[in-house]
Amino acid sequence: SWLVDDRENDRITGICVTKDKLAVTGYTTSPTLGGMNGDGGFKRDSLSPVTSDIFLALFKLNTQNRWNRNYHVFYGGDAMDYGGKVVIDADGNTIFSGATQSTNFKATDGTTRKGGDDNVLVKFGPTATRLWATIYGSTGQDQTCDLVVDSKKC
């Protein structure tokens, strides 16, 4: 089991389960989550309890049918970032949605925040390696309500 609780506000917003993987996303204002500080260089950008970062945790089923943590990352910028939904594609990559108010959200394609809450999509590989990240939205409040991949695994 994994306790998603630390000293500040922690919210799970998406869970995806396949036959051998479990992905959990959400957002937190805690400096760590479940005793973890982030893998692969993806740690909390701000330790301020008034900003939040998206988190993604990926677990794999071991030979004893227990979930082992594969990796855990924080993703966001200098302001409020919220996790949304999560899916696992046919190649074992994890894609999560969310929203950002950060002006320095790490998009790999050069997209930037337009204003309000803008949507984000971020893809990680089977390890704590970011494959891509993008921001899309308008000057108003934008929200992603669901997330699906072609080869349905969730």
Side-chain angles (χ1 to χ4, degrees):
S1 68
W2 180 53
L3 177 64
V4 182
D5 182 36
D6 218 293
R7 70 174 205 209
E8 306 295 340
N9 297 311
D10 312 308
R11 303 283 186 267
I12 292 176
T13 57
I15 298 174
C16 177
V17 181
T18 66
K19 66 179 180 154
D20 61 349
K21 291 184 180 73
L22 167 68
V24 179
T25 193
Y27 58 97
T28 184
T29 58
S30 296
T32 63
L33 195 59
M36 296 178 279
N37 191 25
D39 298 319
F42 294 99
K43 301 187 182 320
R44 280 268 288 135
D45 273 354
S46 172
L47 297 182
S48 167
V50 297
T51 65
S52 62
D53 278 341
I54 300 167
F55 69 83
L56 170 67
L58 184 66
F59 300 86
K60 287 186 176 177
L61 196 61
N62 68 18
T63 55
Q64 291 82 33
N65 285 323
R66 293 186 175 203
W67 294 108
N68 287 339
R69 182 177 71 90
N70 186 36
Y71 67 82
H72 172 262
V73 297
F74 290 105
Y75 208 86
D78 59 2
M80 301 299 285
D81 301 297
Y82 304 100
K85 305 299 181 188
V86 63
V87 295
I88 300 170
D89 71 14
D91 297 323
N93 301 309
T94 307
I95 304 165
F96 65 85
S97 66
T100 187
Q101 294 176 358
S102 297
T103 56
N104 65 340
F105 191 89
K106 298 176 264 322
T108 58
D109 61 359
T111 53
T112 59
R113 180 176 162 264
K114 307 289 186 288
D117 288 344
D118 280 358
N119 294 304
V120 298
L121 282 175
V122 182
K123 182 175 184 178
F124 273 82
T127 63
T129 304
R130 179 192 59 209
L131 301 178
W132 52 258
T134 190
I135 302 171
Y136 61 98
S138 66
T139 56
Q141 300 294 343
D142 304 299
Q143 182 179 9
T144 302
C145 295
D146 210 350
L147 188 60
V148 178
V149 292
D150 313 76
S151 179
K152 195 170 183 180
K153 295 198 112 184
C154 294

